[in-house]
C-alpha cells in the first residue's frame, strides 16, 4: 500500500498487470532503436517542480543528422526536417508541430545543430520540450512524458502520467474496477460489504436480462449502485411518470433506455450488483410533491449507495460513457518514441519513458463538473467510480485514509493539484467529520462552505428555482454539523457576513429568469457570486430582528422557498438623485453600460474624468433643491467617489426607460430611491478598517424595498481612507472612523426612529431623512 497525505493506493501484481494490459496496444506502437536510445530521460526532479530543467544536450552535424534519418529513425527524421527547411528556406518557414523559441541561447557552428531536452515542470501534465538550434533559428517541440504503470508509478514516487486507457468499457477495464472493490473489501476497512441503513423508495432491478423497477423501501435490504450524470438538453427516452409506473415495474426493454443509462446498467451487472438507482427512473417526474420529498432524501440515497457511477465525460444522457477514448499523441501517431529511464548515473532495467506529441488542449473540466446538481451528488457519495474523458478514477472516503486509484493517465496525486478536486477533497473530509461527530474547527468549515458556494454558483442549472434544492444536501450536513439555522442559503449565526455576497462576471450565456426571491439571498441571482473575501465585523447598528420563511414543501427549509421575510435594523442613507443620475460622475457604474441580459455593472472607484468644477456644480444643484445639509452631502459624495459599487442585475432596478439623444437608444434603469444600508466592516491584516460594506437597496411603488446591489467603501488600490475620512486620516482610530461614518450617514445625534412594518414587505424605510431604520424582507 502506498500512502501520502491521508490518501492510499493498493498496488499489487494483479492490478499492475491489468493496467499494463489496458495500455498494451498503445505501448506496442512506440518507436525505439539504437540510434535514438542515446537520448536518456532522468528521474523526475521533484525538488524542481514549477521550473524549466534542461537535462540532455548534444551537437551533431547536418550530415550526421541526415544519415541517421536515412537509417529510418523517425526521431532523427524530425530533426532532419528542421535542418533541411532551415537550409533551404532560412528562418521564415513554418514546420508543423514545431514552434520558434528564444532559448536555449547558444552559438552553433555552420553546418551543425544543437539539440537539447528539458522538463517543463510547471505544466500539468508535465511536458518534455525538445529544442534544436541551427545557424538560423531555434525551434522547440512539446512532448508528453509517459511512463508504464507499475509499482513505481505511485502517489509518492513521480508525477508522470501513464498512457490513456482507450477502452474504458472493455472486459479488462471492468476487471480493474472489480479489483478496486476487492481492495476496499480486503485492505481498506471501509465497510463496503455493509448493508445500507436505508434504501431509496424505488430501485431499478438489473440482475438479469429482465430490467424493471421494484418497490425497495419495504421489500429489500440489499446493496445498490447510484448514478450521478448529466441529463442534457433532450428529454430521456424513458422517464417514470404516473401514467407508466405500472408498466415500468413490469418491464423496461433495454433498447428503451438512453446510452448513458444502458452503460450504467452494463457496469452495474459487471460489478456483480443487482440494483441501480437513477433519478429519472426512480422518482416520479410529474408528481411535484413526491419529487420534492425525494429530493430531501438525496443525501441519503448517495451516501448509502455502495458505489456511485459518475459518467463525467458525457454532457447528455444520450452520449454514453463506455465508448473509446482518444489516446495521447493520436494527432501525430508517427511521433511516439520510447527512451531509457535513468536514475542517477545508470539506466533502470525494464523502465522507460514514452514521449508522445502533446496534442491535448489546456485542462478542461468534464461536463459533469460544470453542472450544479452534480456537486452535492459527488460530495454525498462516499465511494465512486468516475468515467472521465481521459481516465477512470476510483475514490473511497469511507475510512480514515482515503483510497484512490485510476486506470491510467495522470497519477491521482497530480490530479488533486487542481482547484476543484482539492475543494471536493476538503469538503468530503469535513462532511465525513460531521457525520461521524468528529471535532472540527468552525472557521475551517465556514471557509469551506464559502468555497463550495462560489464553485456551485458558477455551475450551470436549467431552472433558477432549483438553486436551493441543488445544494440542499450539503446545506443539511453543514446545518447538522455546525448546529446552525439555514435561511434561504444564508446562515443565522452570520447573516451580517452572508448578506454581503456579490455578483461576479461570467462568460457563460444565461437565460433570463424572474421572480426568484428573496432578493437578499444569493439564490435569487442567476449569476456567479462571491462571498466576502475576509472576516466581516458586524456594524454596531446592524441587527437581525426577525425572519420568516415559508417553504414550498411543508417542513423543508432547504428546498424551494415560496416566500421569505427578513427584518433588520441598521444605518441607511438615501443617495440624492442628482448624484445618481450625473453621467460624468456615474457613481453607480450603470449609466455607460449596455443594458442586456448579460450586463455586468461594476464601478471600481471614480476615475479621473470627473473634475473639481463638475463636483462643485453638482453640489450646487443639490443645494438649490434643498436635499440635505451641504457639508454632509459633500462628504457623502466623497464617500461614494471611493466606493466600489456592483449591481446584482439591471432588471432589479425600478422603471426602465429609454434615454433620448444618444448615438444608440438603450433601455436604462431609472435611478431613484436608492439607499445604502451598512451591514459590516472589513479590516486589513494590520487591523486598519477597510471601510463600511453593505447593500444597495431601492424602493418600489408599493413602499417595499429590494436589494439591487452591493457596495464597499474604501480605496483598495492604496488602502487609504483619504476620500472617506478626509485628509490626514490614512490611519484613523476606531473612534475617528466610527464618528465619520455616523456623520456621513446622518446620525451624529444617535437618533433612534425605528419603524417596523408588515412582515410581508421586502424592505421598509420611511420617506423621511437618513435615520437608523428597520428593514423588512426581500
Amino acid at each position: 500500500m502506498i500512502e501520502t497525505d491521508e490518501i492510499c493506493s493498493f498496488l499489487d501484481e494483479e492490478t499492475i498487470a491489468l493496467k499494463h494490459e489496458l495500455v498494451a496496444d498503445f505501448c506496442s506502437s512506440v518507436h525505439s532503436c539504437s540510434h535514438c536510445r542515446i537520448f536518456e530521460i532522468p528521474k523526475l526532479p521533484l525538488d524542481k517542480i514549477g521550473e524549466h530543467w534542461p537535462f540532455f544536450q548534444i551537437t551533431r552535424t547536418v550530415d550526421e543528422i541526415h544519415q541517421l534519418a536515412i537509417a529510418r529513425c523517425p526521431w532523427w527524421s524530425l530533426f532532419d526536417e528542421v535542418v533541411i527547411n532551415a537550409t533551404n528556406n532560412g528562418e521564415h518557414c513554418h514546420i508543423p508541430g514545431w514552434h520558434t523559441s528564444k532559448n536555449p541561447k547558444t552559438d552553433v557552428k555552420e553546418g551543425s545543430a544543437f539539440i537539447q531536452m528539458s522538463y517543463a515542470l510547471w505544466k500539468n501534465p508535465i511536458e518534455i520540450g525538445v529544442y534544436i538550434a541551427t545557424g538560423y533559428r531555434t525551434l522547440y517541440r512539446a512532448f508528453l512524458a509517459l511512463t508504464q504503470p507499475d509499482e513505481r508509478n505511485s502517489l509518492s514516487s513521480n508525477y508522470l502520467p501513464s498512457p490513456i486507457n482507450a477502452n474504458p468499457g472493455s472486459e479488462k477495464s471492468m476487471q480493474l474496477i472489480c479489483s478496486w472493490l476487492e481492495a476496499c473489501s480486503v485492505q481498506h476497512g471501509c465497510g463496503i460489504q455493509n448493508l445500507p441503513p436505508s434504501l431509496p423508495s424505488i430501485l431499478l432491478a438489473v440482475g438479469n436480462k429482465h430490467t424493471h423497477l421494484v418497490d425497495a423501501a419495504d421489500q429489500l435490504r440489499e446493496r445498490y449502485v447510484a448514478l450521478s450524470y448529466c441529463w442534457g438538453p433532450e428529454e430521456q427516452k424513458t422517464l417514470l411518470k404516473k401514467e407508466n409506473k405500472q408498466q415500468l415495474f413490469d418491464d423496461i426493454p433495454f433498447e428503451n433506455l438512453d446510452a448513458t443509462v444502458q452503460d450504467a446498467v452494463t457496469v452495474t451487472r459487471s460489478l456483480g450488483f443487482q440494483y441501480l438507482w437513477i433519478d429519472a427512473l426512480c422518482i416520479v417526474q410529474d408528481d411535484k410533491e413526491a419529487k420534492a420529498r425525494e429530493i430531501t432524501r438525496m443525501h441519503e440515497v448517495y451516501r448509502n449507495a455502495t458505489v456511485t457511477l459518475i459518467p463525467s465525460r458525457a454532457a447528455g444522457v444520450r452520449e454514453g460513457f463506455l465508448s473509446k477514448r482518444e489516446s495521447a499523441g493520436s494527432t501525430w501517431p508517427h511521433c511516439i518514441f520510447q527512451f531509457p529511464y535513468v536514475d542517477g548515473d545508470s539506466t533502470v532495467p525494464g523502465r522507460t519513458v514514452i514521449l508522445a506529441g502533446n496534442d491535448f488542449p489546456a485542462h478542461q473540466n468534464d461536463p459533469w463538473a460544470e453542472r450544479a446538481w452534480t456537486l452535492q451528488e459527488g460530495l454525498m457519495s462516499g465511494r465512486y467510480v468516475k468515467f472521465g474523458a481521459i481516465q477512470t478514477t476510483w475514490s473511497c472516503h469511507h475510512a480514515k485514509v482515503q483510497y484512490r486509484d485510476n486506470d491510467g493517465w495522470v497519477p491521482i496525486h497530480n490530479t488533486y493539484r487542481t482547484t476543484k478536486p482539492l475543494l471536493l477533497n476538503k469538503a468530503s473530509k469535513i462532511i465525513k467529520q460531521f457525520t461521524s461527530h468528529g471535532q472540527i474547527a468552525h472557521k475551517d468549515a465556514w471557509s469551506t462552505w464559502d468555497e463550495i458556494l462560489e464553485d456551485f454558483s458558477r455551475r450551470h442549472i436549467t431552472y433558477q428555482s432549483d438553486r436551493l434544492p441543488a445544494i440542499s444536501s450539503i446545506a443539511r450536513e453543514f446545518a447538522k454539523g455546525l448546529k446552525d439555522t439555514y435561511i434561504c442559503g444564508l446562515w443565522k449565526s452570520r447573516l451580517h457576513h452572508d448578506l454581503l455576497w456579490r455578483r461576479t462576471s461570467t462568460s457563460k450565456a444565461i437565460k433570463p429568469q424572474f421572480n426568484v426571491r428573496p432578493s437578499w439571498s444569493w439564490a435569487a441571482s442567476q449569476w456567479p457570486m462571491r462571498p466576502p473575501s475576509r472576516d466581516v465585523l458586524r456594524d454596531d447598528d446592524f441587527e437581525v430582528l426577525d425572519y420568516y420563511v415559508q417553504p414550498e414543501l411543508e417542513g423543508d427549509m432547504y428546498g424551494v422557498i415560496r416566500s421569505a421575510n427578513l427584518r433588520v435594523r441598521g444605518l441607511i442613507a438615501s443617495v440624492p438623485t442628482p448624484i445618481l443620475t450625473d453621467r460624468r460622475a456615474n457613481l453607480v457604474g450603470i449609466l455607460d453600460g449596455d443594458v442586456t441580459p448579460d450586463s455586468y455593472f461594476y464601478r471600481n472607484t471614480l476615475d479621473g474624468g470627473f473634475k473639481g468644477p463638475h463636483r462643485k456644480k453638482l453640489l450646487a444643484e443639490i443645494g438649490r433643491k434643498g436635499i440635505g445639509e451641504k457639508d454632509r452631502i459633500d462628504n457623502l459624495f466623497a464617500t461614494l467617489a471611493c466606493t466600489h459599487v456592483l449591481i446584482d442585475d439591471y432588471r432589479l432596478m425600478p422603471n426602465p426607460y429609454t434615454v433620448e439623444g444618444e448615438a444608440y437608444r438603450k433601455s436604462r434603469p431609472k435611478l431613484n430611491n436608492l439607499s445604502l444600508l451598512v451591514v459590516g466592516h472589513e479590516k486589513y491584516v494590520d487591523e486598519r478598517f477597510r471601510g463600511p460594506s453593505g447593500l444597495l437597496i431601492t424602493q418600489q411603488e408599493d413602499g417595499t424595498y429590494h436589494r439591487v446591489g452591493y457596495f464597499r467603501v474604501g480605496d483598495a488600490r492604496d488602502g487609504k481612507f483619504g476620500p472617506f475620512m478626509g485628509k490626514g486620516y490614512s490611519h484613523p482610530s476606531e473612534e475617528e472612523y466610527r464618528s465619520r461614518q455616523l456623520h456621513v450617514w446622518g446620525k451624529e445625534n444617535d437618533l433612534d426612529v425605528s419603524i417596523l412594518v408588515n412582515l410581508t414587505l421586502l424592505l421598509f424605510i420611511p420617506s423621511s431623512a437618513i435615520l437608523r431604520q428597520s428593514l423588512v424582507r426581500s
Side-chain angles (χ1 to χ4, degrees):
M1 181 180 76
I2 302 297
E3 185 175 321
T4 177
D5 297 333
E6 296 187 340
I7 300 172
C8 69
S9 179
F10 301 105
L11 300 172
D12 55 68
E13 292 183 1
E14 182 181 351
T15 301
I16 294 169
L18 278 172
K19 291 184 177 183
H20 267 282
E21 292 184 55
L22 291 177
V23 299
D25 289 344
F26 176 86
C27 293
S28 65
S29 65
V30 302
H31 170 79
S32 178
C33 69
S34 58
H35 301 304
C36 57
R37 277 199 294 269
I38 62 171
F39 291 80
E40 297 176 338
I41 311 296
K43 183 179 180 180
L44 190 70
L46 296 182
D47 60 328
K48 298 184 183 296
I49 291 295
E51 300 179 16
H52 173 86
W53 189 61
F55 60 81
F56 182 90
Q57 60 188 38
I58 192 172
T59 300
R60 288 288 186 268
T61 66
V62 171
D63 288 339
E64 288 174 329
I65 293 174
H66 186 58
Q67 290 301 317
L68 290 167
I70 291 176
R72 295 185 178 181
C73 177
W75 177 251
W76 284 105
S77 295
L78 291 178
F79 303 123
D80 189 44
E81 182 182 18
V82 172
V83 296
I84 290 175
N85 276 276
T87 302
N88 296 337
N89 303 289
E91 58 180 310
H92 300 296
C93 178
H94 172 69
I95 307 173
W98 292 92
H99 309 275
T100 57
S101 174
K102 295 181 180 179
N103 293 307
K105 295 180 180 179
T106 183
D107 293 328
V108 181
K109 294 181 180 180
E110 184 176 352
S112 299
F114 174 81
I115 300 170
Q116 183 183 86
M117 298 178 75
S118 301
Y119 272 119
L121 298 172
W122 67 90
K123 297 283 190 176
N124 186 16
I126 287 171
E127 292 179 357
I128 286 181
V130 178
Y131 298 80
I132 178 169
T134 64
Y136 297 97
R137 58 178 174 170
T138 298
L139 298 179
Y140 83 94
R141 190 170 189 135
F143 289 88
L144 293 169
L146 309 174
T147 183
Q148 284 269 20
D150 64 15
E151 72 281 357
R152 303 186 192 200
N153 185 14
S154 61
L155 303 180
S156 58
S157 64
N158 68 58
Y159 283 64
L160 294 184
S162 59
I164 291 173
N165 171 21
N167 295 287
S170 68
E171 182 180 350
K172 295 294 182 182
S173 294
M174 293 301 107
Q175 290 179 19
L176 180 61
I177 299 174
C178 287
S179 76
W180 293 334
L181 283 163
E182 181 67 18
C184 264
S185 177
V186 175
Q187 304 181 63
H188 197 211
C190 59
I192 192 171
Q193 297 293 339
N194 295 344
L195 295 176
S198 63
L199 289 175
S201 302
I202 297 173
L203 284 171
L204 180 67
V206 300
N208 51 47
K209 294 183 179 181
H210 177 52
T211 304
H212 61 97
L213 297 179
V214 294
D215 187 352
D218 300 322
Q219 301 179 17
L220 293 175
R221 188 78 191 284
E222 297 281 348
R223 297 189 303 159
Y224 66 94
V225 175
L227 179 68
S228 172
Y229 65 112
C230 298
W231 281 40
E234 299 175 314
E235 184 171 301
Q236 298 192 35
K237 288 182 180 179
T238 304
L239 292 170
L240 176 59
K241 296 183 178 181
K242 296 177 183 178
E243 62 183 16
N244 67 352
K245 187 174 182 179
Q246 187 57 52
Q247 176 187 343
L248 299 187
F249 269 75
D250 292 337
D251 180 55
I252 305 176
F254 191 75
E255 60 271 16
N256 288 359
L257 301 174
D258 290 289
T260 293
V261 179
Q262 288 181 347
D263 285 351
V265 171
T266 298
V267 173
T268 302
R269 288 171 174 168
S270 298
L271 300 185
F273 289 89
Q274 306 290 314
Y275 299 100
L276 173 63
W277 186 88
I278 304 175
D279 55 2
L281 295 174
C282 300
I283 298 176
V284 182
Q285 298 298 313
D286 57 354
D287 188 330
K288 189 175 181 180
E289 289 189 5
K291 190 174 182 179
R293 283 195 301 270
E294 291 300 316
I295 289 175
T296 66
R297 299 187 58 206
M298 199 73 75
H299 60 298
E300 297 177 0
V301 170
Y302 285 100
R303 180 188 296 142
N304 294 339
T306 301
V307 63
T308 297
L309 306 181
I310 299 178
S312 60
R313 64 187 291 202
V317 72
R318 300 195 178 182
E319 294 184 16
F321 58 91
L322 297 180
S323 57
K324 290 197 67 172
R325 298 174 175 135
E326 286 290 331
S327 296
S330 57
T331 303
W332 293 288
H334 63 288
C335 293
I336 302 176
F337 308 97
Q338 184 171 260
F339 299 100
Y341 172 80
V342 178
D343 189 353
D345 296 328
S346 60
T347 59
V348 180
R351 287 280 288 169
T352 59
V353 175
I354 298 171
L355 297 191
N358 189 359
D359 50 3
F360 270 66
H363 173 73
Q364 295 179 340
N365 289 310
D366 284 336
W368 179 88
E370 300 297 331
R371 295 296 302 174
W373 279 98
T374 59
L375 176 61
Q376 68 178 7
E377 294 169 4
L379 283 179
M380 292 300 107
S381 300
R383 192 181 294 109
Y384 63 76
V385 54
K386 183 185 295 184
F387 297 84
I390 53 179
Q391 67 180 165
T392 301
T393 304
W394 173 270
S395 182
C396 177
H397 302 263
H398 275 300
K400 182 178 180 180
V401 177
Q402 298 176 27
Y403 167 37
R404 297 203 184 108
D405 205 348
N406 60 38
D407 64 345
W409 194 234
V410 179
I412 289 293
H413 184 64
N414 204 15
T415 62
Y416 276 73
R417 295 167 66 196
T418 56
T419 302
K420 280 195 175 183
L422 281 173
L423 170 60
L424 296 179
N425 182 35
K426 181 166 61 174
S428 295
K429 289 172 64 176
I430 286 179
I431 290 174
K432 180 184 171 183
Q433 287 178 286
F434 287 157
T435 56
S436 61
H437 307 291
Q439 296 295 320
I440 186 169
H442 279 213
K443 185 176 181 180
D444 293 339
W446 287 132
S447 174
T448 302
W449 170 262
D450 288 341
E451 291 182 57
I452 290 172
L453 203 56
E454 187 170 355
D455 178 84
F456 173 80
S457 72
R458 293 183 177 278
R459 294 174 174 238
H460 299 279
I461 196 163
T462 304
Y463 302 106
Q464 184 66 16
S465 58
D466 283 347
R467 266 204 154 186
L468 287 175
I471 201 173
S472 60
S473 294
I474 303 174
R476 290 175 195 276
E477 298 298 331
F478 272 77
K480 183 168 56 177
L482 294 169
K483 297 179 173 56
D484 208 337
T485 302
Y486 190 66
I487 307 173
C488 303
L490 284 57
W491 297 98
K492 182 180 179 180
S493 68
R494 59 168 203 167
L495 274 173
H496 69 282
H497 175 281
D498 291 356
L499 284 168
L500 294 178
W501 61 270
R502 58 193 184 276
R503 171 192 164 182
T504 60
S505 61
T506 178
S507 59
K508 67 181 181 181
I510 295 178
K511 183 179 180 180
Q513 299 182 42
F514 301 96
N515 299 321
V516 180
R517 302 290 175 85
S519 70
W520 38 266
S521 171
W522 56 264
S525 173
Q526 63 195 81
W527 315 99
M529 58 79 68
R530 181 172 297 158
S533 57
R534 50 174 55 80
D535 291 337
V536 177
L537 300 177
R538 182 179 61 83
D539 184 73
D540 290 344
D541 284 295
F542 182 80
E543 180 183 3
V544 178
L545 301 175
D546 197 8
Y547 68 91
Y548 170 76
V549 179
Q550 182 181 7
E552 188 73 24
L553 178 66
E554 185 176 356
D556 180 19
M557 306 301 286
Y558 299 88
V560 177
I561 300 302
R562 182 176 298 174
S563 64
N565 306 329
L566 181 66
R567 292 197 305 163
V568 304
R569 188 191 308 277
L571 291 175
I572 296 171
S574 297
V575 183
T577 301
I579 290 181
L580 290 170
T581 57
D582 189 283
R583 190 167 300 281
R584 292 163 301 183
N586 193 18
L587 289 173
V588 182
I590 199 173
L591 295 175
D592 292 332
D594 291 332
V595 181
T596 65
D598 294 327
S599 296
Y600 178 65
F601 298 115
Y602 176 69
R603 187 182 63 76
N604 196 27
T605 47
L606 190 63
D607 61 28
F610 193 75
K611 306 299 182 182
H614 300 152
R615 174 173 173 175
K616 290 181 180 179
K617 183 177 179 181
L618 178 60
L619 293 174
E621 179 183 355
I622 294 173
R624 286 194 301 272
K625 294 185 177 181
I627 291 176
E629 184 262 320
K630 181 180 181 301
D631 179 62
R632 194 196 64 77
I633 294 297
D634 192 2
N635 289 321
L636 177 61
F637 180 89
T639 297
L640 288 169
C642 67
T643 296
H644 302 252
V645 179
L646 197 152
I647 303 298
D648 295 339
D649 191 322
Y650 86 96
R651 289 166 302 220
L652 297 174
M653 305 293 287
N655 306 322
Y657 75 111
T658 300
V659 178
E660 302 290 348
E662 295 184 346
Y664 300 95
R665 291 167 60 89
K666 300 173 183 177
S667 175
R668 300 192 186 284
K670 183 178 179 181
L671 302 176
N672 64 351
N673 296 317
L674 294 181
S675 300
L676 305 172
L677 168 67
V678 177
V679 175
H681 307 269
E682 296 182 7
K683 280 189 173 184
Y684 291 103
V685 291
D686 61 2
E687 294 300 308
R688 287 185 297 128
F689 281 102
R690 187 181 182 94
S693 299
L695 308 182
L696 186 66
I697 55 179
T698 183
Q699 188 177 24
Q700 306 297 294
E701 293 181 357
D702 61 359
T704 63
Y705 282 76
H706 284 273
R707 167 186 163 137
V708 296
Y710 158 88
F711 75 87
R712 188 190 77 230
V713 178
D715 189 346
R717 292 170 297 183
D718 61 11
K720 295 181 180 179
F721 279 85
F724 176 51
M725 293 297 303
K727 294 181 179 180
Y729 284 98
S730 60
H731 293 78
S733 66
E734 188 170 340
E735 292 75 17
E736 290 170 332
Y737 173 86
R738 178 66 175 165
S739 176
R740 182 68 170 181
Q741 177 192 340
L742 294 178
H743 171 68
V744 171
W745 261 260
K747 193 175 174 293
E748 302 97 318
N749 298 321
D750 198 26
L751 299 177
D752 188 1
V753 185
S754 301
I755 301 177
L756 305 182
V757 298
N758 191 323
L759 295 183
T760 59
L761 299 179
L762 271 72
L763 301 169
F764 177 81
I765 306 172
S767 58
S768 55
I770 304 131
L771 303 168
R772 177 180 178 178
Q773 299 297 356
S774 300
L775 178 67
V776 183
R777 167 177 156 135
S778 108

